[in-house]
């Protein structure tokens, strides 16, 4: 038995003393519980997606079209889920996806998530749109592995400053999110006229940045706050970026660079051509383009095109261990989990996030073992059939 699946025994043993898990172990139930806990605005922000939310639904139904085939008598007594991705060792092929503005879910926000990630050894990918500065989060994360996600701002000097700060604070890989140079049409947020950034949440990394401060004539105070927010709005994203601009990132980041938001094999090929080290097959959880391809359906063509040359990661719709196994079988080297840990944060702070991460890892290990699979490398297309 590996330590990850031991969480199952731990739960049953605690039950002998009448102690039950504080949160459900079926992580698909967390959203409904979080709805009761969060304000309507915060819940709409995390659960909502673009337009009619058909992409978010497609992300989930795509998983159901693939079924795992259990296999017998394969000696799965020794199991090891650990992998190394772009120089970062992790106990299971799972990273915490970048999620901005986490203080709207829990006052400790990204700090609680950073501590939970460090406790499990899973890497945290910190968003540029965090509610605490990347330096504060690095301190909370301690010796835990951490990557930095860049929202590439219009101001190139600001981009360089963010990268330099991330490097100095121990973030080892860069994830560049390409699909959100502007926010999509998100009816749940629009109907409540709610955008956390305009209320000063999710801008900590900008307000603390020396280049940002210089641009607005000094540190952000009550007197210039509105101007600072307008400067943020004007700089958040750059719709003019093209593949040629990636050379700029290479110049200013000497670690691995991963492009997030890839859904087409040609874009994945261009990422490789541009010298990038990996891609995240992601549609931002359906939050950007309504009516889009399910991210899981985009995965096999991308993995076929570039999987032998670069690191293919996956997100959008991961809720269970079985989902992770399916994504691995379809060509991902690891997955990013997102909304489930945000719900865990909302419901239980640091302990809630730890619960979600431990559930996912135990569920993955048990699912794999019962399908005759001992390591992530053994999880191939042979493990699945299409419904
Ligand atoms: C509330 C919320 C905030 C997010 N913020 C960011 C962000 O700041 N940067 C980013 O690259 N992706 C962000 N994402 C997208 C996630 O990284 C991930 O791609 C997506 O949530 C995956 O879909 P799933 O949560 O349905 O599995 C956010 C997602 C949510 C739900």
């Amino acid at each position: 038995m590996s330590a990850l699946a031991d969480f199952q025994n731990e739960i049953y043993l605690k039950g002998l003393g009448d102690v039950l898990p504080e949160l459900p172990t079926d992580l698909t139930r967390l959203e409904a519980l979080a709805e009761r806990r969060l304000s309507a605005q915060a819940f709409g922000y995390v659960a909502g997606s673009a337009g009619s939310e058909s992409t978010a639904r497609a992300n989930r139904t795509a998983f159901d079209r693939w079924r795992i085939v259990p296999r017998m008598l394969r000696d799965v007594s020794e199991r090891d889920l650990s992998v190394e991705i772009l120089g970062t060792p992790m106990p299971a092929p799972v990273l915490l996806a970048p999620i901005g503005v986490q203080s709207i879910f829990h006052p400790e926000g990204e700090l609680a998530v950073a501590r939970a990630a460090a406790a499990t050894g899973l890497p945290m990918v910190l968003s540029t749109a965090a509610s605490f500065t990347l330096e504060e989060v690095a301190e909370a994360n301690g010796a835990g592995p951490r990557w930095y996600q860049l929202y590439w701002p219009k101001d190139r000097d600001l981009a360089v400053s963010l990268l330099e700060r991330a490097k100095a604070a121990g973030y080892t890989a860069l994830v560049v999110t390409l699909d959100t140079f502007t926010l999509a049409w998100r009816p749940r947020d629009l109907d409540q006229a709610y955008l956390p950034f305009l209320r000063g949440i999710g801008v900590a990394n900008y307000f603390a940045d020396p280049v940002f401060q210089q641009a607005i004539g000094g540190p952000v105070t009550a007197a210039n706050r509105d101007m600072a927010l307008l400067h943020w709005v004007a700089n958040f994203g750059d719709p003019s970026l093209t593949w040629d601009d990636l050379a700029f990132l290479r110049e200013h980041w000497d670690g691995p660079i991963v492009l997030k938001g890839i859904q087409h094999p040609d874009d994945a090929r261009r990422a490789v051509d541009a010298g990038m080290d990996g891609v995240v097959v992601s549609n931002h959880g359906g939050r950007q383009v309504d009516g889009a391809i399910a991210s899981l359906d985009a995965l096999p063509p991308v993995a076929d095109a570039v999987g032998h040359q670069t690191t293919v990661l996956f997100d959008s719709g991961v809720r269970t261990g079985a989902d992770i196994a399916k994504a691995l079988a379809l060509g991902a080297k690891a997955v990013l989990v997102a909304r489930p840990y945000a719900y865990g944060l909302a419901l239980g702070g640091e302990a809630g996030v730890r619960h979600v991460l431990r559930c996912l890892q135990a569920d993955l290990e048990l699912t794999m073992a019962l399908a005759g699979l001992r390591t992530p490398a053994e999880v191939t297309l042979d493990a699945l059939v299409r419904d």
Side-chain angles (χ1 to χ4, degrees):
M1 267 285 192
S2 115
L4 301 175
D6 276 351
F7 189 40
Q8 184 191 40
N9 293 332
E10 189 181 311
I11 290 173
Y12 287 131
L13 287 171
K14 279 188 183 160
L16 298 177
D18 287 333
V19 178
L20 300 183
E22 283 183 12
L23 295 178
T25 51
D26 171 0
L27 304 180
T28 64
R29 291 180 52 208
L30 297 182
E31 180 174 320
L33 293 175
E35 183 167 15
R36 287 193 232 149
R37 182 72 59 91
L38 291 171
S39 69
Q41 292 173 332
F43 181 73
Y45 189 75
V46 60
S49 287
S52 69
E53 306 192 342
S54 81
T55 304
R57 286 190 295 279
N59 282 343
R60 289 295 301 139
T61 52
F63 279 98
D64 272 341
R65 287 197 297 273
W66 290 101
R67 314 298 307 175
I68 297 168
V69 185
R71 300 299 304 273
M72 304 300 130
L73 296 176
R74 286 188 164 202
D75 185 2
V76 289
S77 56
E78 297 289 326
R79 307 190 291 261
D80 181 2
L81 265 57
S82 68
V83 290
E84 186 174 314
I85 307 283
L86 298 171
T88 303
M90 51 196 89
V94 179
L95 299 93
L96 285 81
I99 290 188
V101 300
Q102 292 178 17
S103 64
I104 67 173
F105 310 128
H106 187 279
E108 289 170 24
E110 291 84 358
L111 304 180
V113 171
R115 290 194 293 263
T120 55
L122 298 175
M124 171 184 197
V125 186
L126 180 73
S127 169
T128 298
S131 25
F132 292 89
T133 65
L134 61 89
E135 290 84 2
E136 290 167 329
V137 177
E139 201 182 320
N141 190 231
R146 52 185 173 270
W147 295 6
Y148 178 68
Q149 177 261 320
L150 179 73
Y151 276 134
W152 191 332
K154 264 205 194 103
D155 179 346
R156 288 289 165 104
D157 294 337
L158 176 59
V160 172
S161 179
L162 289 166
L163 296 184
E164 283 173 355
R165 287 170 56 200
K167 191 88 198 164
Y171 296 80
T172 58
L174 179 66
V175 175
V176 185
T177 299
L178 300 178
D179 58 18
T180 311
F181 52 84
T182 188
L183 284 179
W185 189 252
R186 294 183 185 170
R188 293 204 215 192
D189 297 337
L190 290 163
D191 290 349
Q192 303 189 85
Y194 179 66
L195 189 59
F197 307 101
L198 296 187
R199 296 161 193 236
I201 308 166
V203 293
N205 278 320
Y206 301 87
F207 282 15
D209 192 277
V211 171
F212 187 94
Q213 291 183 359
Q214 203 176 14
I216 61 163
V220 182
T221 62
N224 66 3
R225 196 163 172 276
D226 287 353
M227 197 241 287
L229 288 169
L230 286 179
H231 186 66
W232 178 86
V233 170
N235 263 288
F236 171 73
D238 184 353
S240 76
L241 290 171
T242 70
W243 293 96
D244 293 337
D245 291 304
L246 294 174
F248 172 84
L249 287 184
R250 253 289 155 253
E251 224 176 282
H252 294 282
W253 183 268
D254 53 14
I257 306 179
V258 179
L259 300 185
K260 178 169 182 276
I262 299 298
Q263 295 278 276
H264 194 291
D266 287 351
D267 284 353
R269 286 189 194 96
R270 295 203 72 161
V272 172
D273 292 345
M276 300 293 105
D277 303 282
V279 295
V280 185
V281 175
S282 165
N283 59 27
H284 217 100
R287 295 164 70 80
Q288 286 300 91
V289 179
D290 190 22
I293 180 173
S295 195
L296 196 73
D297 290 338
L299 175 58
V302 169
D304 283 350
V306 301
H308 56 293
Q309 288 169 295
T310 196
T311 299
V312 176
L313 307 176
F314 172 83
D315 80 27
S316 296
V318 172
R319 301 290 178 270
T320 67
D323 295 343
I324 300 173
K326 289 176 188 179
L328 297 180
L330 293 173
K333 285 282 179 285
V335 305
L336 282 64
V337 60
R339 283 181 174 108
Y341 87 74
Y343 298 136
L345 175 66
L347 293 165
E350 178 186 343
V353 178
R354 228 176 28 237
H355 170 86
V356 166
L357 300 176
R358 294 190 75 193
C359 283
L360 271 178
Q361 292 180 98
D363 183 13
L364 171 64
E365 184 183 326
L366 294 168
T367 302
M368 281 172 49
L370 293 165
L373 306 162
R374 290 166 300 190
T375 64
E378 289 184 357
V379 186
T380 64
L381 206 47
D382 289 344
L384 302 185
V385 290
R386 187 141 175 126
D387 214 11

